[in-house]
Amino acid sequence: MNYTSITFTVDPLLPARDILLAELSDTNAESFVETETGLIAYFPEEIAAFSLEGYMVNAMEGVEVTFELQVIERENWNAAWEAAFQPIIVSEKLGVKAPFHAATGCEMDLIIQPKMSFGTGHHDTTWLMLNEMLLLNFNTKHVLDMGSGTGVLAILAEKMGAIKIDAIDIDDWSTENCQENMDLNACSIIRPIQGDASAIKANYDIVLANINRNVLTADMHIYVAAMNPNAYLLLSGFFISDREILISKAESLGLKHLKSNARNDWSCLVFML
Amino acid sequence: MAKEVAALIKLQVRGGAANPSPPIGPALGSKGVNIMEFCKQFNARTQDRPGKVLPVVITVYGDKSFDFVIKTPPAAVQLMDAAKLKGGSPEPNRKKVATVSWDQVRTIAEEKMPDLNCFTMESAMSMIAGTARSMGITIEGERPF
């Protein structure tokens, strides 16, 4: 998806710049950068024309506002970090490395080209999920990876013997990146799907969801509805301080809390239906 | 020894909604920071204020590690919230579209005090009140100072 930046010049700067920012916070602008002469607003779409008609700043006496639009092409902004990323050792059984790294010496290496998707094992939550997955039996299991990012968890599930894997992510960049990583790891059964929890159409033995507290609490009932009897649910993407909220939500949906794990401030929970 | 600071990046990002697109992507990516790591942390720390525009100051260190401080929303954004205003009045001097109380002005001033160049609560409140008037927001009641 391409973005559009609108660079506003505001004279005199204050308080008009702050008011303009407040007004733009009512639009679909995602983020802003304050400059010495005004403001840059970033929109998640290609915008051909923009008007300040109806904006307060436009009617403020003695205030002049001009602006310029620029479409920003989609690009892998994470390239600099990726070029230097270090392999991750989850345990002696499992390493995660980029295509340009030598083997880690672990029993199994997953090869991940991260691009701009979540999930390299560098983040504590991915590490925690990979670590918990190593303790489960994936042989002949049906697996759902919600918020799949790079596809790293789905790829491990296939390597551990799962026979049906759906990898759902809301971000189009991620579904593309998941396919790329499947190819790097010679995986063939994962189905990358773009969408949210409404894209869940099957039942599973193991559901993996490393997203965030708000999405997990909002969508957990949909995951549970898609779980076979005795299925496992592995959750991460939230702080230790949010653990109780997720456990009580899960218990209210009939899940049994089996295990909590943590690394730095981040938490991982294991449930069973 | 304190770590060497490579860059200070100031952005305004919606709570719970950081993603690797511009401006976060290019701003952090050009410094070699793992953008996804920042997004995940920012979103987890701001999940109770989803969609709110929040100023964030990111410090990038020489070893490409980073930390960040989240500030309170800009005064004008808070005033729009307090006045339950959408988009504001196009004619600030002629048509008063909304009101806030001096108590609300004080609350915003207290929150924003660390970010304002003000030494007293009165001057901070005056500054917030000035912004409110520019936005066509009337402040109800007796000026308390």
Side-chain angles (χ1 to χ4, degrees):
Chain A
M1 181 171 52
N2 289 341
Y3 272 65
T4 304
S5 68
I6 305 183
T7 304
F8 294 92
T9 307
V10 182
D11 186 32
L13 191 61
L14 293 173
R17 180 182 67 188
D18 289 357
I19 295 171
L20 176 61
L21 173 66
E23 291 190 275
L24 288 167
S25 71
D26 254 357
T27 67
N28 67 334
E30 277 187 351
S31 37
F32 307 89
V33 176
E34 287 178 350
T35 66
E36 281 174 10
T37 53
L39 185 70
I40 310 172
Y42 294 84
F43 294 81
E45 60 184 333
E46 282 196 32
I47 298 175
F50 180 82
S51 162
L52 279 170
E53 180 96 33
Y55 277 70
M56 238 178 317
V57 283
N58 203 31
M60 281 171 75
E61 220 161 292
V63 174
E64 197 179 326
V65 183
T66 56
F67 59 85
E68 207 173 294
L69 276 73
Q70 192 190 355
V71 171
I72 306 168
E73 299 274 331
R74 192 172 91 146
E75 190 180 311
N76 180 15
W77 307 104
N78 218 22
W81 176 77
E82 285 159 25
F85 102 85
Q86 297 297 312
I88 290 287
I89 311 290
V90 179
S91 75
E92 56 193 30
K93 285 191 185 142
L94 181 66
V96 182
K97 69 179 204 69
F100 55 82
H101 290 135
T104 62
C106 298
E107 278 174 38
M108 186 197 329
D109 275 343
L110 304 182
I111 304 163
I112 295 296
Q113 180 66 262
K115 294 286 173 69
M116 289 200 298
S117 309
F118 288 105
T120 52
H122 286 84
H123 199 275
D124 293 312
T125 59
T126 314
W127 191 97
L128 285 162
M129 292 292 278
L130 292 168
N131 188 51
E132 286 306 323
M133 285 175 70
L134 291 173
L135 306 174
L136 291 179
N137 175 13
F138 278 82
N139 207 18
T140 71
K141 297 288 195 270
H142 291 201
V143 177
L144 170 63
D145 181 3
M146 271 317 286
S148 48
T150 58
V152 63
L153 305 182
I155 289 167
L156 178 60
E158 179 163 343
K159 295 288 179 197
M160 289 177 74
I163 53 166
K164 175 185 160 76
I165 306 160
D166 289 335
I168 302 179
D169 201 295
I170 198 155
D171 184 10
D172 59 344
W173 185 281
S174 289
T175 38
E176 210 175 281
N177 185 220
C178 179
Q179 183 63 54
E180 190 178 0
N181 288 320
M182 283 171 62
D183 296 343
L184 286 170
N185 291 279
C187 288
S188 56
I189 60 164
I190 300 165
R191 285 198 311 162
I193 299 165
Q194 191 193 343
D196 58 14
S198 65
I200 301 175
K201 303 279 185 234
N203 288 310
Y204 305 93
D205 306 307
I206 300 172
V207 176
L208 312 165
N210 177 4
I211 308 179
N212 62 48
R213 187 197 74 192
N214 289 353
V215 171
L216 293 174
T217 42
D219 290 349
M220 205 187 299
H221 67 284
I222 306 175
Y223 309 156
V224 174
M227 286 165 72
N228 289 326
N230 301 320
Y232 288 97
L233 174 65
L234 272 65
L235 301 179
S236 193
F238 45 88
F239 292 135
I240 295 170
S241 52
D242 290 326
R243 204 182 252 174
E244 288 313 314
I245 296 172
L246 286 146
I247 292 175
S248 65
K249 177 78 189 179
E251 287 178 343
S252 76
L253 294 167
L255 293 171
K256 196 169 131 208
H257 176 212
L258 299 184
K259 189 177 172 189
S260 302
N261 204 349
R263 194 168 144 99
N264 297 319
D265 287 337
W266 298 90
S267 176
C268 178
L269 298 170
V270 183
F271 298 96
M272 192 180 193
L273 188 63
Chain B
M1 203 177 82
K3 285 200 278 188
E4 175 205 349
V5 173
L8 270 181
I9 299 166
K10 294 181 188 173
L11 303 171
Q12 311 250 2
V13 183
R14 290 185 192 268
N19 68 59
S21 306
I24 297 170
L28 293 181
S30 63
K31 303 284 183 287
V33 171
N34 184 2
I35 304 164
M36 309 313 290
E37 169 89 29
F38 167 78
C39 292
K40 193 114 182 161
Q41 272 198 45
F42 178 87
N43 291 342
R45 276 169 58 181
T46 57
Q47 61 195 356
D48 291 321
R49 288 172 284 175
K52 283 263 160 287
V53 174
L54 301 169
V56 55
V57 180
I58 308 156
T59 308
V60 179
Y61 299 101
D63 62 359
K64 298 186 173 42
S65 66
F66 65 89
D67 55 41
F68 61 91
V69 180
I70 298 159
K71 304 200 166 188
T72 52
V77 173
Q78 294 195 51
L79 280 165
M80 274 180 68
D81 270 356
K84 299 191 171 48
L85 198 60
K86 273 187 87 69
S89 161
E91 298 172 274
N93 295 322
R94 273 164 274 171
K95 194 175 151 205
K96 302 298 181 195
V97 289
T99 56
V100 294
S101 66
W102 277 106
D103 278 348
Q104 284 174 306
V105 170
R106 178 182 291 278
T107 307
I108 296 170
E110 278 168 357
E111 269 200 51
K112 288 305 290 179
M113 193 76 179
D115 307 332
L116 299 172
N117 290 322
C118 296
F119 295 105
T120 64
M121 185 47 64
E122 281 72 24
S123 60
M125 284 172 73
S126 292
M127 195 181 264
I128 305 291
T131 303
R133 274 190 290 273
S134 310
M135 296 171 71
I137 297 172
T138 307
I139 305 171
E140 279 179 327
E142 195 92 347
R143 191 184 174 94
F145 54 86

